[in-house]
């Protein structure tokens, strides 16, 4: 038996059966390429689901992590440590937010954002029945709170009751939002660019009008930047390119570039009128190791000019995908922002993803009929051409 078959079999015997895993055992990576345990090389347009922004094997990032491992891994948030204080400063300066709480995942960042909004409203009127408006086709995570605001009924159905008082509007449809707003509304939550739900950027006018609506009624605007943030769309956070600032925002995925860390952050006004000591906590959240990752990520972004690079190469990716669309009738749409792109097909994409893998190209879906392209942000012109060549071959077969 091949070693990979053995590893897959062991996993299948013991993992809880919650994933349809691909039959590939990944072993190591280099730049925008990944290698499986048998040595097969894959061009990585998947990046661990939009996580590996720096590509694989960034030496300085890795050295920073190793250094912190030998110094101190964990302290508890009841103490201060240098990486955490610095990471908080760097995150706030970069985002324009005033206060941040580090979490271990995106879903926990959403939990924190929801608790912040409910507490903010509670302090105003003492009510405990406030409502949150979320968007259809959104994705915010798998814990009960995050799941409750996730606009995919299929994910929620078996796990009711949800946290309650969640209303769903249609994304980019202002009237549908207006209709749901009332005196109990404490927050409107959305991804600035919907990822999982099919890669749909917010309309600039929609986002501006929602911001206005929130201002008029003192409703908190929560922008989920877990997937679209950290430079992926051509600004450090996608909302920065819209000229709309959230009251609360979430981050994760590329924030740690592989180290599990997330964040929710807010303006001073919200911070001063919401969570206080005892309201929220996390044993691991933002521990010295995770905080070192955040710091090292921001350092590498600065040094490598990641955000500028995204602005440079994103049009090349768009062009390559448009060319694929022009030559394959099965492609019905190309959409996205920056290096968060999608091709929608007139059929399910599972077969295409499997064939692409055979061709040494890793892709992920965003809904049954949509291919998602979330490469490392370090991707170059040649890598985009290589992806196009391989995908062209795969689509030619189907
Ligand atoms: C991935 C994702 C989450 C959940 O993050 P986890 O780290 O998997 O918990 C939430 N929101 C968005 C937009 C995401 O893409």
């Amino acid at each position: 038996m091949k070693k990979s078959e053995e590893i897959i079999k062991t996993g299948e015997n013991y993992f809880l059966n919650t994933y349809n895993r691909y039959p590939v055992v990944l072993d190591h990576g280099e730049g925008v390429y990944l290698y499986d345990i048998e040595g097969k090389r894959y061009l990585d347009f998947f990046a661990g689901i939009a996580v590996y922004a720096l590509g694989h094997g960034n030496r300085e990032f890795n050295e920073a992590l190793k250094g912190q491992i030998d110094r101190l891994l964990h302290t508890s948030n009841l103490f201060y440590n240098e990486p955490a204080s610095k990471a908080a400063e760097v995150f706030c300066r970069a985002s324009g937010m005033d206060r941040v709480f580090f979490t271990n995942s995106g879903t926990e960042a959403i939990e924190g954002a929801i608790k912040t909004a409910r507490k903010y409203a509670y302090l105003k009127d003492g009510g405990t029945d406030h409502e949150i408006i979320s968007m259809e086709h959104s994705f915010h995570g798998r814990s009960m709170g995050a799941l409750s605001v996730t606009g995919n009924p299929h994910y929620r159905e078996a796990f009711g009751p949800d946290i309650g008082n969640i209303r769903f509007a249609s994304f980019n449809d202002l009237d549908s939002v207006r209709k749901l707003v009332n005196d109990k509304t404490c927050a409107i939550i959305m991804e600035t660019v919907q990822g999982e739900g099919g890669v749909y950027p917010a309309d600039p006018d929609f986002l501006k009008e929602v911001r206005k609506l929130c201002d008029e009624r003192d409703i908190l605007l929560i922008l989920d930047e877990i997937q679209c943030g950290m430079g992926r769309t051509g600004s450090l956070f996608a909302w920065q390119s819209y000229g709309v600032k959230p009251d609360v925002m979430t981050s994760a995925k590329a924030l740690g570039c592989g180290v599990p860390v997330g964040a929710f952050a807010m303006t001073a006004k919200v911070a001063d009128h919401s969570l206080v000591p005892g309201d929220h906590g996390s044993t691991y959240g933002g521990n010295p190791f995770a905080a070192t990752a955040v710091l090292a990520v921001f350092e590498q972004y600065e040094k490598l000019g990641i955000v500028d690079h995204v602005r440079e190469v994103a049009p090349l990716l768009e062009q390559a995908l448009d060319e694929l669309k022009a030559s394959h009738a099965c492609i019905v749409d190309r959409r996205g922002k920056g290096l968060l792109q999608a091709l929608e097909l007139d059929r399910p994409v599972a077969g295409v993803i499997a064939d692409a893998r055979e061709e040494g190209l890793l892709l992920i879906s965003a809904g049954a009929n949509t291919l998602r392209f979330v490469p490392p942000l370090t991707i170059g012109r040649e890598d985009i051409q290589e992806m196009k060549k391989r995908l062209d071959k795969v689509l030619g077969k189907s």
Side-chain angles (χ1 to χ4, degrees):
M1 199 191 281
K2 284 206 295 191
K3 191 163 181 207
S4 60
E5 286 169 21
E6 222 173 281
I7 293 167
I8 290 169
K9 191 157 166 268
T10 304
E12 286 307 306
N13 281 338
Y14 292 102
F15 289 143
L16 188 66
N17 185 27
T18 59
Y19 277 101
N20 292 313
R21 288 184 169 81
Y22 304 132
V24 175
V25 180
L26 292 172
D27 184 67
H28 63 282
E30 207 182 297
V32 297
Y33 282 91
L34 276 170
Y35 295 80
D36 72 16
I37 199 161
E38 266 97 30
K40 183 175 159 107
R41 194 166 94 124
Y42 302 86
L43 178 56
D44 185 13
F45 268 65
F46 189 120
I49 317 188
V51 166
Y52 251 110
L54 296 172
H56 305 281
N58 178 302
R59 191 164 297 279
E60 288 175 28
F61 176 67
N62 292 354
E63 290 304 326
L65 297 180
K66 287 177 201 170
Q68 190 60 42
I69 286 173
D70 287 337
R71 181 181 293 268
L72 185 66
L73 273 179
H74 182 75
T75 58
S76 148
N77 284 311
L78 292 171
F79 296 92
Y80 292 91
N81 68 80
E82 188 174 353
S85 288
K86 281 187 168 169
E89 181 184 24
V90 165
F91 189 92
C92 287
R93 290 214 167 143
S95 63
M97 294 283 119
D98 298 304
R99 302 278 172 168
V100 62
F101 184 103
F102 289 114
T103 65
N104 309 290
S105 67
T107 200
E108 286 170 81
I110 298 290
E111 295 297 320
I114 292 172
K115 283 178 72 176
T116 300
R118 283 186 165 182
K119 181 78 189 287
Y120 181 86
Y122 168 82
L123 289 178
K124 280 195 296 184
D125 64 14
T128 53
D129 58 350
H130 294 106
E131 298 180 1
I132 295 174
I133 298 174
S134 181
M135 301 296 143
E136 286 165 3
H137 306 297
S138 60
F139 181 81
H140 297 293
R142 302 290 198 155
S143 56
M144 279 317 303
L147 188 63
S148 298
V149 293
T150 286
N152 181 338
H154 173 73
Y155 287 166
R156 295 196 310 268
E157 191 175 79
F159 304 101
D162 62 24
I163 64 168
N165 290 13
I166 311 298
R167 311 276 174 257
F168 289 96
S170 319
F171 191 49
N172 284 333
D173 176 349
L174 185 64
D175 279 341
S176 77
V177 178
R178 276 217 179 97
K179 273 186 199 139
L180 297 177
V181 171
N182 61 44
D183 291 343
K184 287 186 183 173
T185 310
C186 68
I188 300 178
I189 182 168
M190 68 178 87
E191 298 154 84
T192 318
V193 180
Q194 287 193 338
E196 198 81 17
V199 184
Y200 293 96
D203 282 348
D205 285 343
F206 173 72
L207 200 49
K208 282 193 188 108
E209 290 300 320
V210 169
R211 174 70 272 177
K212 227 188 266 171
L213 191 61
C214 288
D215 288 339
E216 282 161 19
R217 321 248 332 201
D218 198 19
I219 293 167
L220 299 186
L221 176 60
I222 303 172
L223 291 181
D224 181 347
E225 291 265 340
I226 290 168
Q227 185 159 165
C228 62
M230 290 309 289
R232 181 156 292 280
T233 68
S235 49
L236 188 61
F237 295 107
W239 57 261
Q240 289 169 329
S241 76
Y242 285 83
V244 164
K245 191 176 172 182
D247 302 293
V248 181
M249 65 165 288
T250 59
S251 179
K253 290 202 164 90
L255 180 63
C257 278
V259 173
V261 60
F264 64 100
M266 60 198 76
T267 61
K269 179 183 169 204
V270 178
D272 292 344
H273 300 92
S274 58
L275 303 179
V276 295
D279 277 346
H280 200 58
S282 170
T283 299
Y284 276 141
N287 79 6
F289 183 66
T292 297
V294 172
L295 272 179
V297 165
F298 275 101
E299 257 169 49
Q300 290 302 306
Y301 268 55
E302 190 75 21
K303 189 171 165 199
L304 301 173
I306 292 285
V307 179
D308 287 341
H309 179 72
V310 170
R311 278 198 210 124
E312 248 175 69
V313 294
L316 304 178
L317 177 60
E318 287 185 2
Q319 190 190 338
L321 297 176
D322 283 337
E323 285 165 8
L324 283 166
K325 177 169 180 273
S327 52
H328 296 279
C330 63
I331 302 173
V332 298
D333 191 24
R334 196 275 304 161
R335 59 177 174 264
K337 192 168 164 64
L339 292 182
L340 175 50
Q341 293 286 334
L343 287 178
E344 187 178 334
L345 270 55
D346 61 3
R347 65 194 71 172
V349 294
V352 174
I353 288 175
D355 290 347
R357 202 165 54 238
E358 288 298 309
E359 279 304 318
L361 171 63
L362 297 184
L363 293 175
I364 183 176
S365 62
N369 290 6
T370 302
L371 293 171
R372 183 169 19 156
F373 300 80
V374 282
L377 304 184
T378 52
I379 203 108
R381 178 189 295 268
E382 340 52 76
D383 306 315
I384 292 168
Q385 287 314 311
E386 186 61 31
M387 178 280 294
K388 187 188 154 195
K389 200 170 102 192
R390 293 183 192 195
L391 188 55
D392 189 46
K393 187 167 166 200
V394 168
L395 290 169
K397 280 193 286 190
S398 67

